[in-house]
Amino acid sequence: MLIFFPGKILYSQWFGIFISLIAHFFIHIGHTIYIRKYIPCFITSVICIPLCILILIKCLPFMTFDAVTISFIVVGLLMMILNMKLIYRLFPVFNKPFRGDD
């Protein structure tokens, strides 16, 4: 059991991050619908979501949904949410050179 423990953690991390990636794609699609304008990531999201779901379905037989896996899924989703909040706070800093404000 001890030999397989590090691999199990890595697979659980990957699974949690991959679920967060799919959630991120859905956020892009929702954002496109909300602003009612085309966003370049919309097409990428529409193409990638079915592929990512297929990959997750293929990986399900190899996963065990115990406390480690579920915690990594939750941590992955929380990291995605915190990352988005940080980026939205930094938007004014990144957009300042393009606005022409001095």
Side-chain angles (χ1 to χ4, degrees):
M1 180 70 181
L2 188 60
I3 295 171
F4 297 108
F5 187 70
K8 179 183 177 349
I9 288 179
L10 292 177
Y11 286 129
S12 297
Q13 280 181 323
W14 175 84
F15 200 78
I17 292 169
F18 208 70
I19 288 176
S20 297
L21 176 69
I22 294 171
H24 183 79
F25 288 148
F26 279 111
I27 289 171
H28 280 300
I29 291 171
H31 192 229
T32 302
I33 293 168
Y34 178 74
I35 65 170
R36 297 181 184 177
K37 291 184 180 180
Y38 174 72
I39 300 174
C41 60
F42 174 75
I43 296 296
T44 306
S45 297
V46 168
I47 292 169
C48 288
I49 285 174
L51 297 172
C52 290
I53 290 174
L54 180 66
I55 291 170
L56 284 180
I57 290 171
K58 294 287 184 180
C59 292
L60 282 176
F62 306 106
M63 296 300 299
T64 56
F65 290 95
D66 55 359
V68 174
T69 304
I70 292 172
S71 65
F72 276 118
I73 291 170
V74 170
V75 166
L77 290 170
L78 289 174
M79 285 174 45
M80 180 193 66
I81 292 168
L82 292 173
N83 184 32
M84 289 179 64
K85 287 184 181 256
L86 175 68
I87 292 300
Y88 277 110
R89 283 192 178 179
L90 293 175
F91 270 165
V93 174
F94 293 131
N95 287 334
K96 189 174 182 179
F98 301 109
R99 286 193 316 245
D101 297 343
D102 288 330

